[in-house]
């Protein structure tokens, strides 16, 4: 069963993570790169990773969160090399989550879910791949990995564990945030709509990470 109590240290880390995440969305989500933005953004997920062992989360969930914090650090810095490093860290994080979901008993979901993910993946060849230039193949690889993670999340057993619904919602929120990130980076022109997208994707991304952790605790 999921424990009803949280240790004081884990509770402090969760409050810190939530406070930094709120600071990020209100102040830095749409702001240009800065070291303060880097530390606020990275710290909001790093605090979740540090809280995970105290919540008895599986090691793969802790690893996924830690890799997410590394990805946040890299993506908050300017330049193509930082972007590639961040994408690599997030890809590894998705693989860690995939391993965790398999450990939870995930199997292949229904045909409808599989078909939907295949259509989503194929659609990126139309609206995303032509805009990514030299990053086309790394982006394609990342798309395949995140779709595999989503496939495992959708295949979680309906009554496998108490937090299954939260984990599924968190994983799908993570996928949605990556889709918005792709649109924001490669499709939208600079302007108000892009700033709104940056805030929405941050809420979905951090919220997704927090839901995965909270659902997997214990």
């Amino acid at each position: 069963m999921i424990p009803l109590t949280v240790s004081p240290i884990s509770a402090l880390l969760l409050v810190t993570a939530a406070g930094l995440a709120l600071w990020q969305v209100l102040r830095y989500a749409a702001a240009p790169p800065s070291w303060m933005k880097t530390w606020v953004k990275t710290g909001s997920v790093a605090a979740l990773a540090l809280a995970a062992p105290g919540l008895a989360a599986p090691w793969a969930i802790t690893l996924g969160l830690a890799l997410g914090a590394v990805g946040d650090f890299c993506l908050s810095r300017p330049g193509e090399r930082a972007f590639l490093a961040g994408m690599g860290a997030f890809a590894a994080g998705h693989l860690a989550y995939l391993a965790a979901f398999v450990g939870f008993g995930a199997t292949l979901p229904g045909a409808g879910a599989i078909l939907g993910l295949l259509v989503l993946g194929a659609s990126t060849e139309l609206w995303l791949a032509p805009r990514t230039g030299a990053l086309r193949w790394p982006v394609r690889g990342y798309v395949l990995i995140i779709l595999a993670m989503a496939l495992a999340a959708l295949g979680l057993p309906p009554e496998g564990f108490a937090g299954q619904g939260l984990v599924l919602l968190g994983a799908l929120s993570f996928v949605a945030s990556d889709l918005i990130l792709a649109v924001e980076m490669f499709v939208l022109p600079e302007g108000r709509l892009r700033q709104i997208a940056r805030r929405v994707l941050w809420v979905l991304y951090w919220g997704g990470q927090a839901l995965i952790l909270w659902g997997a605790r214990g």
Side-chain angles (χ1 to χ4, degrees):
M1 293 181 64
I2 294 179
L4 298 179
T5 60
V6 178
S7 70
I9 293 177
S10 292
L12 178 60
L13 286 167
L14 291 174
V15 170
T16 300
L20 290 173
L22 182 61
W23 191 6
Q24 166 70 10
V25 75
L26 294 178
R27 174 66 179 86
Y28 293 112
S34 69
W35 279 110
M36 181 59 74
K37 176 178 180 177
T38 294
W39 296 123
V40 170
K41 184 179 184 181
T42 304
S44 66
V45 178
L48 292 179
L50 292 172
L55 297 174
W59 68 267
I61 297 295
T62 304
L63 178 60
L65 289 166
L67 288 166
V70 173
D72 283 325
F73 178 89
C74 294
L75 289 185
S76 68
R77 306 312 302 157
E80 184 175 302
R81 291 180 63 183
F83 175 79
L84 287 172
M87 188 165 59
F90 276 117
H94 288 311
L95 290 175
Y97 284 149
L98 190 156
F101 299 161
V102 171
F104 292 151
T107 58
L108 284 177
I114 294 175
L115 179 61
L117 289 176
L118 287 175
V119 170
L120 177 60
S123 74
T124 62
E125 287 297 305
L126 300 176
W127 62 269
L128 179 58
R131 295 178 166 89
T132 53
L135 298 173
R136 178 174 298 185
W137 283 104
V139 169
R140 280 173 170 159
Y142 183 84
V143 168
L144 289 176
I145 290 173
I146 192 172
L147 290 179
M149 185 275 288
L151 191 71
L154 289 168
L156 287 169
E159 298 179 357
F161 57 100
Q164 183 269 345
L166 293 178
V167 171
L168 175 58
L169 180 59
L172 295 181
S173 296
F174 204 160
V175 174
S177 73
D178 271 338
L179 284 173
I180 296 174
L181 176 62
V183 172
E184 183 266 319
M185 288 192 66
F186 297 108
V187 179
L188 292 178
E190 193 62 56
R192 180 166 177 78
L193 189 59
R194 197 171 185 181
Q195 293 181 348
I196 293 173
R198 288 168 180 164
R199 289 190 168 90
V200 172
L201 75 87
W202 175 255
V203 171
L204 289 171
Y205 161 71
W206 188 89
Q209 296 274 46
L211 286 171
I212 290 172
L213 171 60
W214 196 247
R217 76 193 196 281

